Structure formats: structure tokens, C-alpha cells
Amino acid sequence: MLEILQRETFDYFLHEMNETTGLIADKTKPGAVASIAAVGMGLSCYVTGVERGYMSREEAVRRTLKVLQFLLNSQQGTTPDATGFKGFYYHFLDMETGKRAWKCEVSTMDTAIFLAGVFTAQHFFTANDEAEAAIRSVAEKIYLRVDWQWALNGRDSITHGWMPEKGFLRHRWNRGYSEAVLLYILALGSPTFPIPAKGYQKWISTFEWIKAYDIDYIYAGPLFIHQMSHVWIDFKGIMDEMNRKTGIDYFENSRRATIIHQRYAIDNPLKFAGYGENCWGLTASDGPGPRRRTHDGVKRYYYDYKARGAPFGPDDGTVAPWAVVASLPFADSIVLSTARQEMQDGETGKYYHHGFCASFNPTYKDKGTGSAGWVSEWQYAINQGPIILMIENYRSGLTWELVKKCPYIVRGLRTAGFTGGWLDGR
């Protein structure tokens, strides 16, 4: 089952790539722009593709080198149509030109996801030939020029991003557990523009330790927060100050969060259709809204793209199958049974080309036709990548083992205060 799901999901990265730039589409919608996070996912997935025989090593090298050289040489500057600034990249890019799309922000977090893919490729393509040596060299240049100190904007926490029209965004990665663990580790490990560790320590001191369904854990509502950094970094057995305080590492924390999501669906406090033992997983996902509907006397509000979460919401009945599979290394028994059910339940449209749909909502009813159920039209690179990579981490640990070889990641973890486990040779 995992082989079929991994192979079919991989087709996204085979087909949603631009031959001129090497950029990867954010989603399958015709005319979609690229996203820099999609490129990071693609670079990592190419590696898995080679290992599993989904693509040749030569093709993976060609695609990897093409996009890395393009992004290294693309315009960095303050002009509104550049590709990035200070080594960071805009969140969304034109597929054909690489220029900024939609007046979006230079994104620190999405650049971090891209860099995680860069390092995965750098430590996989180690052959002593011209092309693979070029991948390693370009990867190094891309990372070393990222000015993490600039992204602090005069304080000790990293900003969400920057726009040429407005300057730095108001929000910072400074409160509550999030996927920014990866971001801080990359910033702390830089040999060129490292940030002080005090910002990370202040940030993790804001994490909430709560109890839900009689389980204690570091709280974050959406499942992707408990997964995204783990796609590349193996947190089993390594602990920072927050982990030492709570007594569990982030891997165990993700296991507990996964179980809580399933228990929330079984409990189903808002009485959504379909929720149960094999229908769960709330995360950032597409949705049927924004719309208000009244079904069976109950007023509902449905979101469009929204970071949904459990057990405290927001929740509108929209479930994301990919978020279940991305928890495979943490809680394999409940993930496997749910994934098997989703794959067999083909008549709902939840499983089709490129693997699972991005999200579905069994509660939503169309106002015109009265038909029940909604399924997302599009699939997203940011969803497809974790399916492929977390299946592979479960099967072989490939991405984790490659990233462990990255000295900058290791330096970042140690600077952040992580000790134990594989960091200490255990």
C-alpha cells in the first residue's frame, strides 16, 4: 500500500515542473505559479525517487542542477519583480521567469523549507563528477548568502518576511510552538550570518504544555506543525531546553499530537459527518468556503484555505488525508489503518491521480443541488512532498540520515541547545 501511495504521489513532482526554470508548481490548478517551498519539497523528493527507482539518477541530477543554478543566478534585490532579497526568496514565483508573483512576501519560513531540500540534495549527490560536484557547490553558495541577521530586523526573533512596498511584516516567529524550529536551526547554524541563540530560547519558553484527552503534550493545533520540521530532522532522542523541561522530545510530542487528532475525531464534539477512527487529520488545507450553510438546523461556517486544528479548532469538517500519512513515523498503526481505508474509499473521490486529494469535507452540502460532500479540486506540492518523504523516513530513514550529515544543521541544533541521541553518537 505504501509503495503504491508513494509512487503515485511522486508523479506530482515528475509532471508539475517547468523545463525552462526547473521551478515546481504550487498546485495542480492550470496556470498555477511556483512556490519556493514546492521547490524544496521537489529537491528532497527527487532523492527518494532515485532511491526507489521512480526516476533515473541522471534525470534527478539534471532537474536539481537546473533549478539550483536558476535560483542562484536569478535577481536578488529591492525591485518589486525580483526573485528574492538578501538570499531569501519570494513565497510565490512565476513559473516561466522566476519573478515575484502576486505581490507576495519574501518568506523566511518557505525559504527554510527550500533550503532543507537543498541540503538533502547536496548530501545525496556526492559522486565525483562535474554535475554532482556543481550541485554541491551551488547548494553551498545559496545557503551561505542567506542573511539571517537581516531577517531579525533589529530584534532577537525572526520575522515572517519582507515586502519591497512595506518593509518587514509585522508578525514574528516568537510565540507558540510552530514549524519554525527548522527555520531557527538553519539560522543558528549559518557560518556567515548566524543569529544569537537567545531568540530561540525566548521563543521556546512560550510553548504551551497542556493536557488533552488525558495526554500531556506541547500544544499546536494543526498537524503540519508537528510534522514539517520532522520531514528533514530526526528529533528522536535529542532534546532542547523545552524538551528537558517536559521530559519528552519533539518526536514523542508529535506522536502524542497524532493520537489526540484521532481521538478528537472519534469524540467529534461538533458532530461533523464522517469523523471517526479512520477519518481524522486537521491541518492547513483547502476548504469549501468561505460560505455559511445551515444543515439539519445547524448553522455552519466553512473556510477556504485555513490552518485547521484539533482539539480546539478551528474546525469546519474538512479533513486532509496527507496530514494523516505525514504522521506515519510517529503513530504507524493508526495511520496505516486510516490510509488503507482512504485508498479503498475510491467512490468519494478522495484518491485519484497523484495520490490523495488535498482535503475533503463530508458535511458540506451544495446550496444549489443539495448534494453532500466536497473534495478539493487541486493537489498542493506542500502536501504531496511530506507524503513521499515521511513514507520514506518510515521505510528507510533516508532523508533523516542525509540531513544528519549536514554540518550546518548539526551546528544549528547544538547552538539551539539540543543534546543527546544521534547528536552525541548514540
Side-chain angles (χ1 to χ4, degrees):
M1 180 188 71
L2 292 179
E3 173 66 27
I4 293 169
L5 178 58
Q6 189 179 39
R7 174 64 187 86
E8 293 187 0
T9 305
F10 184 79
D11 281 348
Y12 183 100
F13 296 98
L14 283 179
H15 302 306
E16 303 298 329
M17 188 271 287
N18 181 274
E19 279 294 339
T20 302
T21 61
L23 295 173
I24 296 170
D26 177 61
K27 57 185 176 182
T28 52
K29 184 178 181 180
V33 298
S35 73
I36 197 63
V39 176
M41 290 292 179
L43 290 171
S44 297
C45 289
Y46 292 158
V47 168
T48 294
V50 172
E51 283 292 287
R52 290 289 165 186
Y54 304 156
M55 70 190 312
S56 69
R57 190 179 186 96
E58 293 73 20
E59 176 64 7
V61 166
R62 184 187 73 83
R63 288 173 175 236
T64 299
L65 187 56
K66 177 187 288 288
V67 73
L68 289 183
Q69 288 179 329
F70 177 81
L71 288 169
L72 177 66
N73 297 322
S74 60
Q75 184 182 1
Q76 290 263 326
T78 58
T79 57
D81 63 348
T83 301
F85 186 49
K86 294 288 186 176
F88 294 91
Y89 292 92
Y90 281 102
H91 193 157
F92 298 107
L93 303 169
D94 184 276
M95 285 281 284
E96 296 286 342
T97 66
K99 293 183 178 181
R100 176 196 188 196
W102 300 342
K103 295 186 178 180
C104 65
E105 82 287 4
V106 163
S107 174
T108 54
M109 188 64 233
D110 290 274
T111 298
I113 292 171
F114 163 65
L115 292 171
V118 169
F119 284 141
T120 307
Q122 184 185 42
H123 291 280
F124 179 78
F125 294 112
T126 56
N128 189 25
D129 62 54
E130 184 177 352
E132 295 198 19
I135 287 174
R136 299 192 295 274
S137 174
V138 174
E140 194 84 356
K141 291 175 183 176
I142 286 174
Y143 174 66
L144 294 182
R145 75 176 181 181
V146 179
D147 191 342
W148 305 99
Q149 296 169 6
W150 168 81
L152 296 174
N153 190 26
R155 293 166 62 181
D156 50 23
S157 58
I158 299 175
T159 61
H160 280 207
W162 174 90
M163 300 174 74
E165 298 87 358
K166 301 178 181 178
F168 284 98
L169 303 185
R170 178 170 58 89
H171 295 292
R172 291 176 172 269
W173 299 104
N174 64 351
R175 184 157 298 278
Y177 181 47
S178 75
E179 69 276 23
V181 174
L182 174 64
L183 172 65
Y184 273 97
I185 288 167
L186 288 165
L188 291 166
S190 171
T192 47
F193 300 99
I195 66 170
K198 63 181 180 180
Y200 181 80
Q201 302 305 328
K202 285 183 179 180
W203 174 51
I204 65 174
S205 71
T206 70
F207 293 0
E208 296 180 84
W209 179 252
I210 71 165
K211 184 186 292 288
Y213 298 102
D214 293 322
I215 299 173
D216 296 306
Y217 77 128
I218 300 168
Y219 170 72
L223 266 179
F224 82 89
I225 289 177
H226 298 283
Q227 299 161 342
M228 196 58 68
S229 297
H230 297 255
V231 170
W232 293 278
I233 300 176
D234 181 4
F235 286 98
K236 290 192 301 292
I238 65 173
M239 291 191 171
D240 65 6
E241 187 59 34
M242 184 64 184
N243 299 141
R244 288 186 283 273
K245 179 180 176 181
T246 61
I248 63 170
D249 58 40
Y250 290 120
F251 185 93
E252 168 62 19
N253 196 73
S254 294
R255 186 188 72 84
R256 297 183 184 191
T258 303
I259 293 169
I260 286 168
H261 268 252
Q262 188 200 39
R263 291 192 182 178
Y264 170 82
I266 294 170
D267 183 39
N268 196 9
L270 300 178
K271 309 303 179 187
F272 287 113
Y275 277 26
E277 183 180 1
N278 289 322
C279 184
W280 53 276
L282 306 184
T283 194
S285 65
D286 195 12
R291 291 184 177 90
R292 294 187 185 276
R293 293 283 189 273
T294 300
H295 307 314
D296 301 322
V298 179
K299 293 181 179 179
R300 306 276 194 192
Y301 182 81
Y302 297 98
Y303 304 102
D304 49 6
Y305 201 95
K306 182 80 171 178
R308 298 162 174 83
F312 307 122
D315 181 13
D316 64 351
T318 302
V319 175
W322 75 269
V324 173
V325 181
S327 284
L328 179 61
F330 311 129
D332 58 353
S333 61
I334 65 173
V335 169
L336 288 168
S337 63
T338 302
R340 186 174 294 111
Q341 180 63 44
E342 298 286 6
M343 289 181 72
Q344 292 171 351
D345 203 9
E347 72 276 5
T348 65
K350 288 179 283 189
Y351 192 81
Y352 50 81
H353 76 108
H354 297 349
F356 283 128
C357 68
S359 50
F360 64 94
N361 189 315
T363 303
Y364 178 81
K365 292 183 180 179
D366 185 86
K367 192 172 184 179
T369 65
S371 58
W374 170 90
V375 178
S376 176
E377 291 184 77
W378 321 117
Q379 290 165 303
Y380 295 76
I382 201 79
N383 304 351
Q384 301 294 89
I387 292 176
I388 298 163
L389 298 171
M390 289 303 243
I391 288 176
E392 193 56 41
N393 280 330
Y394 178 72
R395 298 176 79 181
S396 72
L398 174 63
T399 306
W400 287 339
E401 294 307 312
L402 289 171
V403 172
K404 286 176 185 177
K405 298 176 183 179
C406 177
Y408 307 125
I409 295 286
V410 171
R411 178 188 299 168
L413 286 165
R414 287 180 171 152
T415 304
F418 283 91
T419 58
W422 62 267
L423 270 177
D424 295 343
R426 295 199 299 274

